[in-house]
Amino acid sequence: MTESTRQSGLRLAPAKVEVERRADGSLLLRSPQALGAYARVVGVVGAAR
């Protein structure tokens, strides 16, 4: 965890990934951790001040 992450209280998911290798040579990467509750809107970009 970085110092800025500790200070902000930001919680990140573990650095884990599931890999699915497909017949066409592509890879599908997925987090094994389920997505938890989240806000519908997390911010406004370009809002007038």
Side-chain angles (χ1 to χ4, degrees), residues 1-27:
M1 186 181 310
T2 67
E3 185 62 29
S4 62
T5 302
R6 274 192 289 274
Q7 290 176 358
S8 72
L10 182 64
R11 293 176 47 212
L12 302 175
K16 294 183 180 177
V17 66
E18 294 176 351
V19 180
E20 179 184 330
R21 296 177 185 273
R22 296 191 166 180
D24 65 358
S26 62
L27 299 173

Side-chain angles (χ1 to χ4, degrees), residues 6 13 19 23 29-31 33 43:
R6 274 192 289 274
V19 180
L29 306 176
R30 227 181 242 128
S31 172
Q33 184 166 340

